[in-house]
Amino acid sequence: MGRKKKNKSPLKSPTAAAAAATPVAAEAVDIITGKASLEYYFDPSLILKENQGTIGRQPLKNGAGSSTKTPDLSSKYLFVPCTIIKPLDEENSQKSTGKVDGQPFPGPTLVKTIDGVLHKISDSTKLIPVTAPDDHEGVHDVLNLPQISEASLLHTLRIRYARNDIYTSAGPILISINPYVTVKQADGQSIYCEERMLLYRNRTDYTTGPKNPHLFLVADRAYKALMDSVHSSTEMDHLEDEDAVMMLEYHKPPGTVRNQSIIISGESGAGKTEATKIIMAYLARITKRDSKASYNPDGSMIATLEDRVLSSNPLLETFGNAQTLRNDNSSRFGKYIHIYFSTVTGAITGASISNYLLEKTRITSQVDGERNYHVFYQLLASADQEMFHDFGLQGGASSFNFLGHRITGNDIADQEGFKQTMACLAEIGVSPEDQRALFRTVAGVLHLGNIKFEEHDDPSESFTESIGKCRVSDESRPSLRKACELLGLDEAKLEDAILTKVIVINGKSIKKAQTVPMAEDKRDALAKMTYSCLFLWLVHHINLSLNQASEQTKSIQKDQMGCIGVLDIYGFETFDVNGYEQLLINYCNEKLQSHFNRHLFEVEQKLYSDEGVDWSYITFNDNSPCLELIEGGNGIIGILNTLDDAWGGMGTAAEKDSKFAAHLHRLFGKSSELDTSKDSVSRRSHYKHFITPKIGLDKNFIIKHYAGEVCYNVDGFVEKNMETLSRELKDLGDSSSNPFLKAVYSTAGVEVQCSTAQRSSIRGSSVSWQFRASLQTLVSDLERTQPHYIRCIKPNNSKLPGAFAAADILKQLKYSGMMEAIRIRREGYALREEHETFYKRFSLLLGYDKIKKGEKGIVELVRVLSGLLCVTDADWQIGHSKIFTSGKTPHFSTNRYLDPISTSHASLLSLSQRSKSVIGYVKDVEATQNVLADEKKRSFDSGSAAASACILDCAKDS
């Protein structure tokens, strides 16, 4: 393929432009002295060691002489504005005489933060200047900051969060900070009320609707993009709201549906689940149509499709969410919700849900301070007397081993949750009989956990035959009986299945007695199998309900349907002890980060090439080597494949775990770097993502993820990866006399994996292999959509409203790729717009004379605007179909300054043609002058001020 021919426009790329001028700190007025002083962003890392606290009022907790900074200090003061008071050494004190207030000094300096607290820092020249008033305003879109940096971004989010503006745009990405409280408008209504939904939906363009970033805006943009892919729209999109990814050409013929996706990510507790519910509520409301009511055979009304879609979320939360240390409603599984729409009527026609990796270990154990899944507590808090008696729940949560024998104290919330769960089950069509059977199964899982075992010596057997044998303890036999009663299982068969293991040798089946730990593992495996199958049955039933075609949707053809997918999946996790689940969760996040990289970085480059725009390649942090380390590829076997191979051979589960860890260190650890073979050299780039710990290397290994280093403990890796359902447990489930439970196992499609130990590998059937396959399907689905991104941020670890832990938030912004995304847009062309739309908005600025003379091309318009704003050609590029505007220059924000100028000038030009009244003419001119004077007054930008003055002079001359 030949080299792409560059655009012949005389305008140059930003890479060819001269470097921007050194930022100058903005001035602030001291409220005591009344003098103007320069402002900077405070950096706690510069605090002198002998002054870890402050020397002013409100001293911090950490005392003088401390050698480390406390988290509180970074969280409270990181990048808040401060002013320089004076140098602290004699040499700089003499040099400072006569200098402008607030100038930085290379030595120890006394500074004051905006709360009036004084700090001693080592070097004030290392402070980042606050360059413009916009840094104090909390702008809607951080790409509009004159000089964007970690400091200005963080402070903008801090300002907006303090005034309950919890949503902020970063170009095409929405940043959402969890408020931990209901946010209301000035009129007292929720910011998610129906009236506000309709405001976002009914706006005809950017200037007539709400301008604040919002989840509604993202949902509406996705819906509009779906419909516009089939029906061309003349609606003018606002320049700053245009998504770079949305510019990507999909090479589909006009009128072909282009599906959308909304990808919601963030740490646990950042608000992903709530964001998903809000987006679904918005889509359901704006597409709701009046329709004729439908009824079941028993006369009950069938819930509308929109109501069924909304009911799916609370149900999945009940069975798949739990209270954790970080989040009271943490999703312990991932879900991708497909919502289907008619491109003819715009209405919802159906939906389906895909689920990923339910956390099964939570079913049988939780750490202190956390809970099991919500449904267990809802049942205990709200079951009627008949249920309590029949299900054996009289002892409450403290009587069950699987609930940690802990009293939760959330009875009121659990009671309300149970009411909602029952209502949602009814709305998706679960009969009262099946509802009761469902809760019988939940109670049966609880009673399984109370079965205990004890060692048992059989006098009739020899010592070697009886050693290690166990039996069900007498005190727990009532729990065994109750579990069998609720699950429809035969007591003797259940006992035999748990206490023995069938081994096949040379075609002969031999029963081997289990030890107490082995029996406990099999008991837990049965409980996990039962609950996870119940969860899958629920997802399956929800999907059946959401795909019931109504009379209005039966006639819709497939080519008349489109889809918006909403992805709510677990965020990156790191704890004191990280296990198998954390590895899969973080692998998933690596995969999604790779998708994010491709669509926000590589698509930028493709867009510039397709448009014939001069550009230099912009690098980004590619996480492909880390992905290949985990999943294999490019000549490397991968950690997960190595884990699959660890199943074979002799030894206990603990021994296999240790062998697995040792094998990883041989393959990827420091010792492997000494290998100079050709294959080893080709894999060397992956080794930097694998770290051998200094201690505990027989149990631990470290992966350097995009979000940071995580140390994994291999205990239980091999067993969890295999998750074998022994033949006896599988047969036990099939033998249930409970028709509902039989259907549960059947719907889940339980398969026996690796029933014999002869297999050296379980590739193709392991949990990790299945997870990889489903994750690849998810990513493939996302690749076929036009994505919209929401990055959820957790403001603090204490779940407190109003608390802004700056250091933690900055870390999340980095981990989520936000800093990279912002950098790529700022280093390239942050703003872009179609030629036609751009010309319509600003062509009036050419002036009547130039338009009359025919000087009305797009090149001439750009030249005129450059003169008005005092910017150079390097700030613009004219592509084949779009105008590109650089976001690098600190003086320039096209929409912020050109829109009011263009509007005002348009008013004057229109006035000269239509004005018939001298009084009306004078009023219009005065109004225009007032608008421009206000703009000039609040503008710090000399370019925009010059433009305003230019138009103001034009108004006066008129």
Side-chain angles (χ1 to χ4, degrees):
M1 181 179 292
R3 180 181 176 89
K4 180 177 281 294
K5 187 177 181 181
K6 298 297 182 182
N7 185 17
K8 296 301 182 181
S9 167
L11 302 178
K12 300 177 181 179
S13 74
T15 57
T22 302
V24 178
E27 290 189 351
V29 177
D30 191 290
I31 59 173
I32 297 177
T33 65
K35 293 182 179 180
S37 58
L38 304 180
E39 284 193 311
Y40 302 84
Y41 290 112
F42 183 68
D43 185 352
S45 68
L46 297 175
I47 292 179
L48 292 172
K49 289 184 178 180
E50 68 272 14
N51 177 233
Q52 291 298 310
T54 67
I55 65 171
R57 62 183 188 274
Q58 303 172 5
L60 299 178
K61 293 180 180 179
N62 48 331
S66 172
S67 60
T68 58
K69 302 3 175 235
T70 67
D72 288 341
L73 187 64
S74 292
S75 293
K76 182 177 181 180
Y77 286 107
L78 181 62
F79 296 147
V80 300
C82 70
T83 53
I84 296 173
I85 303 302
K86 65 177 182 179
L88 293 174
D89 60 339
E90 184 176 348
E91 181 181 353
N92 280 319
S93 295
Q94 293 174 356
K95 291 179 180 179
S96 68
T97 305
K99 289 187 71 174
V100 179
D101 286 347
Q103 290 292 338
F105 300 93
T109 312
L110 183 66
V111 300
K112 180 171 66 175
T113 48
I114 54 175
D115 59 355
V117 178
L118 300 176
H119 307 263
K120 290 180 181 180
I121 63 173
S122 59
D123 186 349
S124 57
T125 62
K126 295 181 179 179
L127 295 175
I128 302 171
V130 179
T131 58
D134 273 1
D135 290 346
H136 290 299
E137 290 183 11
V139 295
H140 294 162
D141 192 329
V142 294
L143 290 185
N144 288 337
L145 288 170
Q147 191 71 31
I148 194 166
S149 63
E150 289 183 0
S152 61
L153 170 61
L154 188 65
H155 188 54
T156 294
L157 295 178
R158 179 190 282 116
I159 292 171
R160 293 181 62 79
Y161 189 67
R163 66 187 187 214
N164 280 336
D165 286 334
I166 60 175
Y167 300 117
T168 305
S169 294
I173 309 164
L174 182 71
I175 302 173
S176 170
I177 304 183
N178 193 342
Y180 290 119
V181 69
T182 301
V183 180
K184 296 185 178 181
Q185 305 173 101
D187 60 4
Q189 291 193 79
S190 167
I191 61 172
Y192 309 113
C193 65
E194 183 174 359
E195 180 182 344
R196 196 160 182 81
M197 287 185 186
L198 298 178
L199 278 176
Y200 277 91
R201 181 60 200 144
N202 294 332
R203 64 194 183 103
T204 56
D205 57 43
Y206 183 82
T207 59
T208 60
K211 299 181 182 180
N212 275 335
H214 200 290
L215 290 170
F216 293 164
L217 197 58
V218 177
D220 192 71
R221 191 166 60 191
Y223 180 75
K224 180 181 178 297
L226 177 67
M227 295 303 155
D228 285 354
S229 67
V230 180
H231 311 285
S232 60
S233 172
T234 58
E235 178 179 324
M236 180 184 71
D237 285 331
H238 192 257
L239 184 64
E240 294 175 358
D241 281 343
E242 194 167 35
D243 189 336
V245 179
M246 298 168 77
M247 310 284 288
L248 179 64
E249 296 298 334
Y250 283 73
H251 304 294
K252 291 185 177 181
T256 303
V257 175
R258 186 169 64 208
N259 292 330
Q260 309 293 305
S261 61
I262 300 174
I263 302 172
I264 306 171
S265 60
E267 288 188 6
S268 178
K272 300 186 299 294
T273 300
E274 289 302 309
T276 301
K277 290 192 289 188
I278 291 166
I279 285 172
M280 291 179 65
Y282 179 82
L283 293 173
R285 175 60 188 87
I286 67 171
T287 59
K288 194 166 188 176
R289 304 288 189 272
D290 292 331
S291 58
K292 188 177 180 180
S294 301
Y295 297 89
N296 289 309
D298 61 2
S300 60
M301 183 181 295
I302 299 176
T304 64
L305 180 57
E306 291 83 3
D307 288 339
R308 277 178 274 154
V309 169
L310 295 181
S311 293
S312 65
N313 252 322
L315 269 183
L316 292 175
E317 286 181 29
T318 295
F319 287 84
N321 286 29
Q323 177 182 309
T324 67
L325 295 175
R326 300 183 177 188
N327 185 3
D328 290 342
N329 189 34
S330 177
S331 295
R332 308 315 300 166
F333 70 106
K335 62 178 179 287
Y336 187 44
I337 305 169
H338 299 78
I339 307 175
Y340 301 100
F341 299 84
S342 164
T343 57
V344 178
T345 65
I348 294 178
T349 60
S352 64
I353 297 170
S354 301
N355 65 287
Y356 304 92
L357 194 68
L358 177 72
E359 184 186 28
K360 296 178 184 177
T361 55
R362 184 169 296 273
I363 299 167
T364 58
S365 64
Q366 313 87 42
V367 301
D368 288 340
E370 296 193 350
R371 302 204 314 174
N372 208 319
Y373 291 105
H374 293 326
V375 65
F376 293 111
Y377 306 96
Q378 291 182 9
L379 177 62
L380 289 165
S382 306
D384 56 38
Q385 289 300 316
E386 184 179 359
M387 275 188 175
F388 262 100
H389 181 268
D390 292 348
F391 297 172
L393 305 176
Q394 296 89 338
S398 61
S399 65
F400 291 105
N401 182 45
F402 283 171
L403 302 183
H405 298 289
R406 291 186 290 265
I407 300 175
T408 64
N410 294 339
D411 285 354
I412 296 178
D414 291 329
Q415 289 168 8
E416 292 298 319
F418 187 78
K419 292 178 183 177
Q420 186 179 34
T421 298
M422 296 296 285
C424 290
L425 285 170
E427 285 194 339
I428 68 166
V430 179
S431 67
E433 294 77 16
D434 281 350
Q435 290 179 31
R436 185 175 180 84
L438 183 151
F439 289 114
R440 281 177 65 90
T441 305
V442 171
V445 170
L446 287 178
H447 285 287
L448 281 176
N450 283 0
I451 300 174
K452 297 180 180 179
F453 308 95
E454 59 187 12
E455 291 186 357
H456 170 59
D457 295 330
D458 191 342
S460 65
E461 296 179 341
S462 66
F463 175 77
T464 55
E465 289 177 329
S466 63
I467 189 171
K469 275 189 173 182
C470 69
R471 67 177 184 181
V472 176
S473 65
D474 292 337
E475 63 177 287
S476 67
R477 283 204 168 271
S479 296
L480 173 64
R481 283 193 292 271
K482 179 56 73 173
C484 290
E485 174 192 334
L486 295 172
L487 299 176
L489 300 176
D490 181 87
E491 186 175 338
K493 288 182 179 180
L494 174 59
E495 189 171 3
D496 184 62
I498 291 178
L499 297 180
T500 61
K501 181 178 182 179
V502 177
I503 300 177
V504 180
I505 300 178
N506 296 327
K508 295 182 179 180
S509 297
I510 301 174
K511 281 190 175 183
K512 180 182 178 181
Q514 302 288 277
T515 63
V516 170
M518 289 176 178
E520 290 173 344
D521 287 343
K522 292 190 76 173
R523 174 203 63 195
D524 291 352
L526 177 61
K528 293 174 184 177
M529 178 184 77
T530 304
Y531 188 86
S532 60
C533 288
L534 181 64
F535 184 79
L536 292 176
W537 175 89
L538 183 65
V539 172
H540 178 74
H541 197 94
I542 290 173
N543 286 336
L544 288 177
S545 171
L546 298 181
N547 282 298
Q548 291 177 359
S550 65
E551 293 300 323
Q552 292 90 342
T553 61
K554 285 179 180 178
S555 60
I556 297 176
Q557 303 296 320
K558 278 192 173 182
D559 60 356
Q560 295 177 330
M561 291 177 59
C563 173
I564 297 178
V566 183
L567 178 65
D568 170 18
I569 204 159
Y570 16 64
F572 182 83
E573 288 188 353
T574 176
F575 304 109
D576 292 337
V577 178
N578 301 284
Y580 179 73
E581 292 82 1
Q582 278 68 50
L583 176 62
L584 294 187
I585 287 172
N586 293 340
Y587 162 52
C588 173
N589 277 269
E590 287 283 358
K591 202 81 171 173
L592 293 177
Q593 184 67 23
S594 177
H595 176 270
F596 181 75
N597 288 347
R598 287 197 302 275
H599 281 80
L600 285 188
F601 301 153
E602 294 177 1
V603 167
E604 287 281 301
Q605 312 294 347
K606 183 180 186 303
L607 175 63
Y608 296 155
S609 295
D610 290 348
E611 284 288 324
V613 170
D614 290 332
W615 55 275
S616 63
Y617 190 78
I618 302 173
T619 60
F620 62 88
N621 292 327
D622 186 8
N623 67 335
S624 296
C626 183
L627 269 176
E628 290 169 355
L629 170 69
I630 298 172
E631 67 184 4
N634 196 25
I636 189 170
I637 187 174
I639 290 173
L640 296 182
N641 286 331
T642 304
L643 177 60
D644 284 352
D645 293 342
W647 165 243
M650 302 298 290
T652 64
E655 290 172 340
K656 290 180 179 180
D657 288 336
S658 296
K659 289 178 182 178
F660 164 64
H663 196 191
L664 289 183
H665 294 306
R666 284 196 301 271
L667 285 173
F668 313 120
K670 286 186 176 181
S671 60
S672 64
E673 296 180 6
L674 302 177
D675 185 357
T676 58
S677 65
K678 184 177 179 180
D679 289 342
S680 176
V681 172
S682 69
R683 300 192 300 265
R684 192 63 49 78
S685 63
H686 303 87
Y687 296 152
K688 64 182 180 181
H689 293 279
F690 185 93
I691 302 174
T692 298
K694 294 181 179 179
I695 57 174
L697 57 85
D698 61 327
K699 289 289 185 181
N700 301 295
F701 65 93
I702 299 172
I703 297 179
K704 189 175 181 180
H705 291 281
Y706 78 92
E709 295 180 3
V710 178
C711 181
Y712 296 98
N713 184 287
V714 298
D715 284 344
F717 262 55
V718 174
E719 285 291 332
K720 289 178 180 178
N721 187 53
M722 182 188 65
E723 201 176 65
T724 300
L725 292 179
S726 64
R727 174 65 62 185
E728 49 270 25
L729 289 184
K730 174 64 170 60
D731 292 343
L732 189 66
D734 291 340
S735 69
S736 174
S737 62
N738 184 332
F740 177 83
L741 196 61
K742 270 192 171 183
V744 164
Y745 288 130
S746 174
T747 302
V750 176
E751 297 179 357
V752 178
Q753 301 168 0
C754 307
S755 57
T756 63
Q758 284 81 6
R759 296 184 59 181
S760 62
S761 172
I762 54 173
R763 293 188 193 177
S765 59
S766 67
V767 173
S768 65
W769 189 93
Q770 294 176 52
F771 184 69
R772 271 180 285 176
S774 62
L775 189 56
Q776 186 56 52
T777 300
L778 169 65
V779 172
S780 297
D781 286 346
L782 294 177
E783 294 287 355
R784 292 191 292 269
T785 67
Q786 182 173 302
H788 307 260
Y789 295 98
I790 299 172
R791 291 307 204 211
C792 295
I793 303 295
K794 181 173 59 177
N796 61 80
N797 289 322
S798 303
K799 311 172 192 174
L800 296 175
F804 190 90
D808 290 339
I809 290 173
L810 183 60
K811 187 186 300 181
Q812 292 175 68
L813 291 170
K814 290 180 180 178
Y815 288 175
S816 66
M818 285 304 308
M819 297 308 302
E820 281 288 287
I822 291 170
R823 180 184 64 82
I824 197 76
R825 290 295 292 263
R826 296 290 293 191
E827 288 189 3
Y829 296 96
L831 312 174
R832 65 285 307 272
E833 190 170 11
E834 298 282 348
H835 284 179
E836 182 180 357
T837 308
F838 186 85
Y839 192 83
K840 283 181 180 179
R841 294 173 65 199
F842 303 119
S843 60
L844 291 176
L845 293 176
L846 285 171
Y848 180 73
D849 291 339
K850 290 183 178 180
I851 293 177
K852 189 175 181 180
K853 291 178 182 178
E855 298 176 7
K856 54 183 181 179
I858 195 75
V859 175
E860 175 64 16
L861 175 58
V862 169
R863 188 190 67 77
V864 170
L865 294 180
S866 296
L868 287 176
L869 294 173
C870 299
V871 296
T872 68
D873 289 349
D875 294 307
W876 304 79
Q877 277 237 39
I878 301 176
H880 297 316
S881 64
K882 300 173 180 69
I883 288 289
F884 293 82
T885 308
S886 171
K888 274 186 169 183
T889 172
H891 323 294
F892 181 65
S893 177
T894 305
N895 302 287
R896 192 175 171 84
Y897 299 115
L898 284 186
D899 275 338
I901 294 170
S902 177
T903 302
S904 303
H905 197 187
S907 176
L908 286 176
L909 291 177
S910 176
L911 175 66
S912 65
Q913 299 172 11
R914 65 176 173 80
S915 180
K916 299 183 182 299
S917 165
V918 175
I919 297 177
Y921 178 86
V922 171
K923 286 183 176 180
D924 276 355
V925 171
E926 288 178 346
T928 302
Q929 290 176 339
N930 289 336
V931 169
L932 293 173
D934 289 342
E935 173 65 19
K936 184 174 180 180
K937 181 179 179 181
R938 77 180 178 86
S939 172
F940 67 90
D941 181 358
S942 60
S944 64
S948 298
C950 174
I951 304 303
L952 185 57
D953 291 340
C954 174
K956 291 177 179 177
D957 293 341
S958 300

